[in-house]
C-alpha cells in the first residue's frame, strides 16, 4: 500500500490544501515516532504495529478537503469537526474499491479529534456527527491522537508546548483535558525519568518512594546538604 498514492487519489492537484495536509501529516508522523522511541514507551512498543502507526499518521486528516475551513484552504461544504468521520468513510470506500483492508486506518481518522469524542459530548454539544463513541482505543489510535495535538494546520504550524495544548483543550471541558493528560501519562509525555517521581506515582499508584538523601536514613546519617523538602 502506497500512502502517497492514496493521498494523491483524494488530492490530485498541488493545492495549498494538499501542501498543508502533507506538512501537518509528516509533523504528526514524526512526533508519533519520537514518542514511540521514548524509553518510557519501551513496554508499549512491542504491542504496537509500527507500519500502522506511521501510515495512519499520514492519513489521519485525509478528510479535511471535504470541509469548509478557509483558514487552511479547505473549500468543502461540511463542518470541520466532521473531517475525521468523513476521512473514515473515504478510506473505507477506497479500500473496497482497491480490495485493501483500511478499517484500522479509518478508525484512526474517526478517533483523533480532540482527545476523542464521547457520545454524551455529541449529544450535549449537539455535534453534527453520528452518535457513537469516538474515543481512541488501540495504542496506535491513542498515540496518533496524542501526537496530533502538538501541531495545528493553521498559523505558524510550529510545535506547541504542553501548556499551550492543555490551555486549548481546557475550553472543551475537564473530561477532554483529563483524557489528554491520561494519554500523556500512558506514553510518558512530559515526564523525564529517572528524575520524575510524579510519573512513577501515576504509573504505579502503590509505589513507596524512600528519598534517603532527605530523611537522614543514609550512609551520612543526616539530610544531604541542599535538600530542604522530600521531593526530587
Amino acid at each position: 500500500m502506497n500512502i502517497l498514492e492514496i493521498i494523491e487519489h483524494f488530492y490530485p492537484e498541488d493545492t495549498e490544501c494538499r501542501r498543508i495536509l502533507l506538512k501537518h501529516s509528516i509533523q504528526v508522523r514524526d512526533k508519533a515516532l519520537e514518542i514511540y522511541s521514548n524509553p518510557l514507551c519501551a513496554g508499549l512498543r512491542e504491542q504496537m504495529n509500527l507500519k500502522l502507526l506511521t501510515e495512519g499518521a499520514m492519513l489521519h486528516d485525509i478528510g479535511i478537503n471535504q470541509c469548509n475551513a478557509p483558514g487552511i484552504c479547505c473549500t468543502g461544504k461540511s463542518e470541520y469537526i466532521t473531517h475525521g468521520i468523513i476521512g473514515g468513510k473515504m478510506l473505507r470506500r477506497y479500500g473496497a474499491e482497491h480490495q485493501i483492508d483500511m478499517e484500522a486506518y479509518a478508525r484512526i481518522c474517526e478517533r483523533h479529534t480532540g482527545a476523542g469524542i464521547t457520545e454524551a459530548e455529541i449529544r450535549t454539544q449537539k455535534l453534527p456527527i453520528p452518535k457513537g463513541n469516538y474515543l481512541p482505543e488501540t495504542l496506535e489510535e491513542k498515540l496518533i491522537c496524542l501526537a496530533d495535538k502538538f501541531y495545528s494546520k493553521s498559523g505558524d504550524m510550529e510545535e506547541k508546548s504542553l501548556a499551550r495544548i492543555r490551555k486549548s483543550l481546557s475550553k472543551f471541558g475537564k473530561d477532554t483535558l483529563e483524557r489528554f493528560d491520561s494519554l500523556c501519562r500512558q506514553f510518558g509525555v512530559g515526564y523525564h525519568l529517572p528524575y520524575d517521581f510524579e510519573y512513577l506515582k501515576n504509573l504505579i499508584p502503590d509505589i513507596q518512594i524512600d528519598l534517603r538523601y532527605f530523611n537522614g536514613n543514609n550512609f551520612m546519617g543526616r539530610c544531604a546538604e541542599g535538600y530542604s523538602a522530600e521531593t526530587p
Side-chain angles (χ1 to χ4, degrees):
M1 184 170 69
N2 188 312
I3 295 302
L4 290 181
E5 285 184 3
I6 295 175
I7 293 174
E8 289 176 1
H9 175 82
F10 294 110
Y11 295 75
E13 299 178 4
D14 183 23
T15 62
E16 184 63 20
C17 178
R18 188 174 84 167
R19 288 192 288 271
I20 290 171
L21 172 70
L22 285 171
K23 179 176 180 178
H24 174 72
S25 300
I26 290 169
Q27 288 176 320
V28 172
R29 179 200 65 188
D30 291 349
K31 186 64 179 181
L33 291 175
E34 175 190 318
I35 297 170
Y36 174 89
S37 300
N38 187 332
L40 295 173
C41 284
L44 299 177
R45 282 198 288 270
E46 62 184 22
Q47 304 174 50
M48 282 192 271
N49 182 327
L50 184 57
K51 182 175 184 291
L52 174 59
L53 179 69
T54 55
E55 293 179 344
M58 290 297 295
L59 294 174
H60 76 281
D61 265 344
I62 197 73
I64 62 171
N65 65 346
Q66 302 299 307
C67 298
N68 181 17
I72 55 173
C73 304
C74 297
T75 57
K77 297 181 179 180
S78 299
E79 293 188 47
Y80 183 73
I81 197 170
T82 66
H83 74 280
I85 303 299
I86 292 172
K89 292 179 180 178
M90 290 165 63
L91 292 184
R92 289 189 180 97
R93 185 170 65 248
Y94 181 92
E97 293 172 355
H98 293 81
Q99 297 183 324
I100 303 172
D101 183 3
M102 300 294 293
E103 181 60 27
Y105 300 92
R107 283 175 54 92
I108 286 169
C109 290
E110 294 171 339
R111 296 165 188 270
H112 79 275
T113 304
I117 302 174
T118 67
E119 185 169 358
E121 289 166 343
I122 294 171
R123 184 174 60 254
T124 59
Q125 298 175 34
K126 298 181 179 179
L127 301 178
I129 58 178
K131 291 181 180 179
N133 277 308
Y134 299 97
L135 298 175
E137 295 177 343
T138 69
L139 289 173
E140 294 85 3
E141 291 166 2
K142 290 179 177 181
L143 183 46
I144 291 170
C145 177
L146 174 60
D148 179 58
K149 304 293 95 65
F150 284 86
Y151 295 97
S152 173
K153 290 179 287 295
S154 60
D156 60 17
M157 297 186 73
E158 296 296 320
E159 182 171 346
K160 301 176 186 178
S161 66
L162 277 173
R164 183 178 170 190
I165 296 169
R166 296 186 82 257
K167 182 178 180 180
S168 177
L169 290 177
S170 66
K171 300 173 185 177
F172 301 100
K174 66 176 184 178
D175 290 343
T176 297
L177 187 56
E178 287 175 359
R179 290 198 298 270
F180 172 75
D181 288 340
S182 177
L183 290 174
C184 287
R185 287 193 297 271
Q186 183 170 14
F187 291 99
V189 172
Y191 301 98
H192 305 283
L193 290 179
Y195 307 106
D196 203 318
F197 288 89
E198 186 63 29
Y199 175 78
L200 283 177
K201 290 178 182 177
N202 287 324
L203 188 65
I204 312 171
D206 59 350
I207 192 172
Q208 296 183 19
I209 300 175
D210 184 10
L211 304 182
R212 298 195 173 193
Y213 53 74
F214 169 76
N215 62 24
N217 184 17
N218 54 49
F219 70 94
M220 296 183 296
R222 57 179 173 79
C223 176
E225 184 177 351
Y227 292 99
S228 59
E230 195 170 1
T231 57

